[in-house]
Structures are given as structure tokens and as C-alpha cells.
Amino acid sequence: MTEVFGHEQVVFCADRQSGLRAIIAIHNTALGPGLGGTRFYPYESEQAALADVLNLSRGMAYKNALAGLDLGGGKAVIIGDPATDKSEALLRAYGRFVESLNGRYFTACDVGTYSEDMDIVARESRFVTGRTIANGGAGDSSILTSFGVFQGMRASAQHIHGRSTLHGLRVGVEGVGKVGHRLVDLLIEDGASVVVCDVSERAVDQVRQRHPQVEVVASLAELVAEEIDVFAPCALGGSLDDTTVATLRARIVCGAANNQLAHPGVEKQLEERGILYAPDYVVNSGGVIQVADEIRGFNMERARAKAGQIYDTTLKIFAIAAEEGVPPAVAADRLAERRMSEVGRLKGIWLGH
Amino acid sequence: MTEVFGHEQVVFCADRQSGLRAIIAIHNTALGPGLGGTRFYPYESEQAALADVLNLSRGMAYKNALAGLDLGGGKAVIIGDPATDKSEALLRAYGRFVESLNGRYFTACDVGTYSEDMDIVARESRFVTGRTIANGGAGDSSILTSFGVFQGMRASAQHIHGRSTLHGLRVGVEGVGKVGHRLVDLLIEDGASVVVCDVSERAVDQVRQRHPQVEVVASLAELVAEEIDVFAPCALGGSLDDTTVATLRARIVCGAANNQLAHPGVEKQLEERGILYAPDYVVNSGGVIQVADEIRGFNMERARAKAGQIYDTTLKIFAIAAEEGVPPAVAADRLAERRMSEVGRLKGIWLGH
């Protein structure tokens, strides 16, 4: 239980009648209210739910900081099976607890929750994003997620090859689902050649219909063994493990998946093999940038411009990594912590509100 | 950890720089915002702190309900040694978390915190009672605590002897500290004879100076063996254990101490011995009534009138106990739960705010 006090605020919420058991975790609010999605998941234990929400909210703090948002790190979990336990009463009870924090936490969709759910939560709280488009929502956040990854990839190409384009490079994309297939669109448009793999044949077929020139391999193992310049993990986390890193022929890793590093230390292995790693939470922050824009009243052009800055942030991280002699993943953490500290302390300049 | 979801909201709060580690527990808000003090105590573990705050906040829900207040049950603990860990920064960090709940929790003094501390907490939050008198505080809450116990005792005498006075009865008071010595004043004024015990010779001497007719015995064991009509535990909790109950010669137990029953089942033993037990949390609620009045702007006459109703509530509990064939402690819990349910549900009648 000790780790709970490593976060600024962790809120356990219960409503017996509706069956709600939720935990809202706010890692810190140095830059503003914590923002992060609500995961609805049948955790095996409350300890498991707590561990997940603590970890995820910490991740959001770093992601939001480097996305240049005026938002801290927050996340919530609802313990239960969304297929059977989700109800209007439960979602609205949850909404009242989100409201009870009076804007210190903004919620959004995550695993097991959808925009329609957020509309229900929003009937009890003002602090809800990820709404349906009809209710001012930002729509499918995979649009700017893929756009942001593409910007990170351009920055990586700039760092390695001295030109900010994927033109003429061969990119291996693991996972062509919601985000991955949009990334393929952007890569093809930019003049890259693309090789993909996905456990879903249907997803692969759809990509091939749009872009017949895309090559397909059967597995992640085959993909990383290909002669590729860039590896883009866009499926589940943990793709970069000891085996993958030992085999990988790409000089750049840049993708949309969360938690790409299977364990601490992989970032060093990548560096030792001369592979440039664009930190996952930096390049995949286009989604939260898109959703967070709802707070001000969603504007796609403003959100896209903000996501475009992922290019500059990624370059900056590579520069810090080189200057300070650390892997980019460490440089990213440092840059996030500096922003939280340097910008956060400005609230110390009194303005009367 | 399971028990945490038995409460409406449990909030872990941390501030690394000031060393704050606090837990605010809100048992339920059926009747209004949770109100209860902040205990500053060097708990051996966070689990111990959590267990304490869950238990105490549940107790406040029942106490506030039967005190007739429009308040739910809340309580907070700060983990640390008040002698060494208390600082302006820590108290104000705590105040910001009290404020973050936006009025769902009102704090007050408890073990390890004083009105001067509440004034500091209040520099960050509007939801603070137990203030110093200069800042609108209710002052020494032992005034209405002892007054309330006296009302409970009058009700007990009414129930047993058919007259609402202690005149002519012999009352044994365990503990003549802040509350006990004021109770002795009220008893003497009402025409009772009083016998006391206290571990502090100084406290006993002070009572004897004011009332030379008060008798003194050396220990709790001696006190309960005395020929007394009423036993008033006003020291630490747990006075009513198997030994005390087996020896006790009084027909009435009514005192200011918290958690007078040493273990579950003692309430039945008392009943089997024909001893009327006025539930502790009912008769000692004068203190919270006094402090809670600060929310509306403290008015001693209004608070005293409210505490006077402890007489009626105690009688009502005895009547329910007789009707439903349960000990008064059980009747009190039932009455509290009924009020939370019956009055709480009235919020379902929509008024537009």
C-alpha cells in the first residue's frame, strides 16, 4: 500500500446500489488538472486495479507534460466487467465522483469505455472529454495519434538521415488496426515502402485493398528480421524485448503502442545496438492532444497544430539524449520532469486567483 | 484493502515536500457533507491509519445522524508525529486537499490537532471547523459534550425512575478531565451525590476544591464496586469489559468516553444484568453539535438547544429498544440508519439545485 502516497491524490469511490467500485488517481497537478481515461476492466483484485491506475496515471503525467498540454497526470479504473456491470446508474455514480473533485481530474475513454459512456458520465460532471461528436467530442482520436507518430518518425529520420521525410525508406508496421492503418496511409503518401504484420487477416486485407504495394509478413519475428529502416510497433505493448532487440535490423524504432519496452534496460540495449528509439509516450500523444482539446471546445486545426509539435519535441529529446549521454527514453523523462518543475512553479507568482 | 469500498469515498493525499501523508474518509453523505476531525498520529503502518480512519468516519456517520445534524460521516488522519512533523506547509498542504473535495468533507480538531492548527488549515480551505474563538470558532467543545451527557443521563433516570433528574442519585464518574469535571458540576448542581476516580491526582484535587462533598476512590475497579446508581465512563474507551459489567452495581451507564463497549456482545451482557446503557455516541455528541454550528456562524444558544435534544433522542432509543426487543446500542444504530435512509432519500425530490 505504500506506493499510494507517491501520488498526489488517490480517490477510492464506491456506490453500493449501482455496484460502482472505482479508483481515480492523480499523479500530480503541477501543470494543471490531471487528465486521463477511465479503464473499465474486470481486475482480479483491488490491488491489481490500484497498481494499474497508479502506473497509468504516472504515465499520463509524463505524456501530458511532453505533449505541451497544461494538464497533469490522471487516470481512473472501474472494477468490473463492462459487458455485464456497466449501467446508467453506475456510470452516473462514477460521474458524481469525477464531479466531486471539482475539476482536478478530467476523464476520457479508455479500455472498456466509449464516447457514449462519456456522454452518460457527463450528465453528472462537467469534467468529461472523449464525448460523442454530437456532444462536442473530438471524434476518433486515432487520427491525431497516427499523425503524431508520423511526426515522431519524421523527426527520427531527420536525426539519423538529415532529412525529415520517410521517402525512400522501408518501414515495418506491427499492427494495422485503428492507428496502424492510418499510419500506413501517411507513410505511403510520404513515399515510404511499407511492410506490415497483424494477427487479424481482415485488418491486413483492408490495408492491402487501399495500398496493394504494401508487403505482408506473417509475424513480428519475421517483421523485425526484415531489411527495414524503421520499426513501428502499433499493436500491444512489450514488443521490444531481448529477442526483438537482438534481431532488429531497423535503425529507428517509432510507433504508437504503449509501453513498448518490455522491461527496464531495453532502452540501453537499443542504444548499444545503435538503434534510435523515439519514446512511445512522446510520439503517441496525438490522441490525448486531440481529446484534451475538447476542454476548450474542440477545434481540429488547433489540435492538429499541437500534435505537429511532436516533431519538435522528439528532436529535442534526441538532442538532450546526445548532450547528456543518456538514452532518449531517459531524456524524455527528464524533459517531462523539467517542464513540470519549471512551469509548475510559476503558480508561485501570485495573480490573485 | 477490500473494506475501503465499504465507504463512499476514501482519499489518499500526499505532498512530498512538506511530508504530508493523509487519508480523508467519507463514509456516506446521505444527510450532507461528511464532518469529523483530523487525527494527527504516528501510526505504525498505513494499513493501521486506514483502518482507523475507516472506523472513525463510520462512527461519525452514526453520531452525526443521531445528533440531528444535516451532516454525513467523515474523518481524516495525518500519518506522523505531531510533535515533530507538524508544520505550516504540511497543514496548508492538507488544507488544499480538504478544499479539493469542494465541501463534501468538513474537518475539525481531533487527537493531535488544535484550533490553532485549524486556523492554518483554513488558510487553504473554506471547509474547516474547530477554529479559534477569534476566528469564529465554537471554543471548548467539552462544554456541550458534558451538557449532552447530562441530558442523556436525565433521560436514563426518566426511563428507570420516572423522573428526569439526578437529584438524590449517586453517580460514579470515571475520569474528571476536560469533560468529566464539567459533568460533575452539572450533577452537583442537579442535587446528585458524586464519587469519582482519575489517574491524575491533580484533576481529582481540582474537582474537590470546587466541590468538597465529592467522594474519591482509587480505581475504576473500586468505582464500579461502589453502591452507585449511575456509572459515567468519561476517560478512555473500553471501560465496559466482562469484568466491569459483572461487578457493576449501577442500573444506568451513561458517559462521555468513546467506544465504551470493550467488545461486541457487551451490550447484551449489560441488558442481561438489567443495566440500562445509554449509547456512547449518542450522549457524547454535544461536542460535534457545538463545533458543527460553526458552519452557520457559531451561536452558543442555538448549539445548546440542539444538544438539549440529546435528552429526547436518548428516550426515543430506549423506547425503540423496548419495542423491538434489542439493546439500546442496537436501537441507536437502527435509528441512525433509518434517518440516513429516510431523510437522505428526500434529495430525490427535485428542486433544481
Side-chain angles (χ1 to χ4, degrees), chain A residues 41-103:
Chain A
Y41 190 80
Y43 291 98
E44 288 198 0
S45 68
E46 287 161 9
Q47 273 302 343
L50 176 61
D52 204 32
V53 77
L54 291 177
N55 191 39
L56 292 166
S57 60
R58 184 180 179 284
M60 289 309 297
Y62 282 75
K63 179 183 288 204
N64 292 343
L66 286 191
L69 298 168
D70 290 340
L71 293 168
K75 198 90 183 185
V77 294
I78 297 176
I79 301 172
D81 183 344
T84 53
D85 298 331
K86 201 187 279 178
S87 67
E88 181 189 349
L90 182 145
L91 289 170
R92 293 182 75 150
Y94 172 65
R96 290 187 81 85
F97 286 110
V98 171
E99 181 67 19
S100 82
L101 298 175
N102 203 29

Side-chain angles (χ1 to χ4, degrees), chain A:
Chain A
M1 216 185 87
T2 306
E3 75 276 30
V4 74
F5 285 116
H7 284 55
E8 189 174 293
Q9 194 168 23
V10 181
V11 185
F12 291 74
C13 318
D15 178 58
R16 200 181 309 164
Q17 278 78 9
S18 67
L20 176 73
R21 290 182 301 157
I23 313 175
I24 301 170
I26 299 172
H27 181 267
N28 77 76
T29 55
L31 295 172
L35 180 141
T38 301
R39 183 164 294 190
F40 201 137
Y41 190 80
Y43 291 98
E44 288 198 0
S45 68
E46 287 161 9
Q47 273 302 343
L50 176 61
D52 204 32
V53 77
L54 291 177
N55 191 39
L56 292 166
S57 60
R58 184 180 179 284
M60 289 309 297
Y62 282 75
K63 179 183 288 204
N64 292 343
L66 286 191
L69 298 168
D70 290 340
L71 293 168
K75 198 90 183 185
V77 294
I78 297 176
I79 301 172
D81 183 344
T84 53
D85 298 331
K86 201 187 279 178
S87 67
E88 181 189 349
L90 182 145
L91 289 170
R92 293 182 75 150
Y94 172 65
R96 290 187 81 85
F97 286 110
V98 171
E99 181 67 19
S100 82
L101 298 175
N102 203 29
R104 281 173 49 75
Y105 169 66
F106 278 82
T107 195
C109 303
D110 196 76
V111 176
T113 55
Y114 302 92
S115 290
E116 290 72 18
D117 299 327
M118 290 304 123
D119 283 350
I120 297 174
V121 173
R123 288 161 79 171
E124 302 292 341
S125 178
R126 295 161 287 170
F127 310 111
V128 182
T129 67
R131 304 289 304 277
T132 59
I133 291 172
N135 283 289
D140 184 351
S141 67
S142 61
I143 296 170
L144 290 191
T145 304
S146 53
F147 178 71
V149 172
F150 181 65
Q151 299 310 316
M153 213 179 275
R154 285 179 59 237
S156 304
Q158 171 68 38
H159 187 77
I160 294 283
H161 304 292
R163 49 202 192 88
S164 61
T165 172
L166 281 301
H167 186 87
L169 299 182
R170 190 156 186 255
V171 182
V173 179
E174 178 204 8
V176 285
K178 273 171 73 173
V179 175
H181 90 265
R182 291 185 190 277
L183 179 62
V184 172
D185 290 349
L186 294 165
L187 290 168
I188 296 290
E189 191 186 9
D190 197 36
S193 57
V194 175
V195 51
V196 307
C197 73
D198 197 301
V199 289
S200 158
E201 265 184 58
R202 190 156 162 275
V204 169
D205 287 348
Q206 284 176 339
V207 167
R208 292 265 297 172
Q209 271 167 30
R210 290 163 68 93
H211 309 291
Q213 71 270 44
V214 164
E215 297 167 77
V216 180
V217 295
S219 67
L220 173 61
E222 283 184 38
L223 188 68
V224 295
E226 284 281 311
E227 280 287 356
I228 51 177
D229 300 294
V230 180
F231 171 48
C234 299
L236 296 175
S239 294
L240 298 169
D241 59 15
D242 299 340
T243 316
T244 310
V245 173
T247 324
L248 192 61
R249 307 181 76 160
R251 283 197 64 195
I252 293 169
V253 173
C254 178
N258 283 312
N259 304 313
Q260 294 171 21
L261 305 173
H263 60 80
V266 174
E267 73 283 0
K268 284 199 173 174
Q269 295 175 33
L270 285 162
E271 190 166 59
E272 282 159 16
R273 291 216 49 225
I275 299 168
L276 183 72
Y277 172 62
D280 45 16
Y281 74 80
V282 178
V283 300
N284 72 11
S285 64
V288 72
I289 289 170
Q290 183 171 340
V291 161
D293 200 79
E294 290 180 28
I295 295 173
R296 297 166 68 186
F298 181 61
N299 179 308
M300 189 54 152
E301 287 325 298
R302 182 175 59 201
R304 189 184 298 274
K306 188 101 190 160
Q309 292 170 10
I310 291 173
Y311 175 84
D312 309 279
T313 306
T314 307
L315 272 187
K316 192 169 179 181
I317 286 163
F318 294 149
I320 292 173
E323 267 173 49
E324 303 186 8
V326 293
V330 175
D333 286 358
R334 287 188 183 173
L335 185 61
E337 284 159 11
R338 280 174 207 163
R339 181 162 183 254
M340 289 187 241
S341 165
E342 288 170 10
V343 178
R345 73 158 193 85
L346 297 179
K347 280 185 273 186
I349 301 174
W350 191 83
L351 288 174
H353 54 77

Side-chain angles (χ1 to χ4, degrees), chain B residues 85-170:
Chain B
D85 297 331
K86 201 186 279 178
S87 66
E88 181 189 350
L90 183 145
L91 289 170
R92 293 182 76 151
Y94 172 65
R96 290 186 81 86
F97 286 109
V98 172
E99 181 67 18
S100 81
L101 297 175
N102 203 28
R104 281 174 47 79
Y105 168 67
F106 277 83
T107 195
C109 302
D110 195 77
V111 176
T113 56
Y114 302 92
S115 290
E116 290 71 18
D117 298 328
M118 290 303 123
D119 284 350
I120 296 174
V121 174
R123 288 162 79 172
E124 302 291 341
S125 178
R126 296 159 288 169
F127 310 110
V128 182
T129 67
R131 306 287 307 273
T132 59
I133 292 173
N135 284 288
D140 183 352
S141 68
S142 62
I143 295 171
L144 290 191
T145 305
S146 53
F147 177 72
V149 172
F150 181 65
Q151 300 309 317
M153 212 179 274
R154 285 179 58 238
S156 305
Q158 172 67 35
H159 187 78
I160 294 284
H161 304 292
R163 47 202 193 85
S164 62
T165 171
L166 282 300
H167 187 89
L169 298 182
R170 190 156 186 256

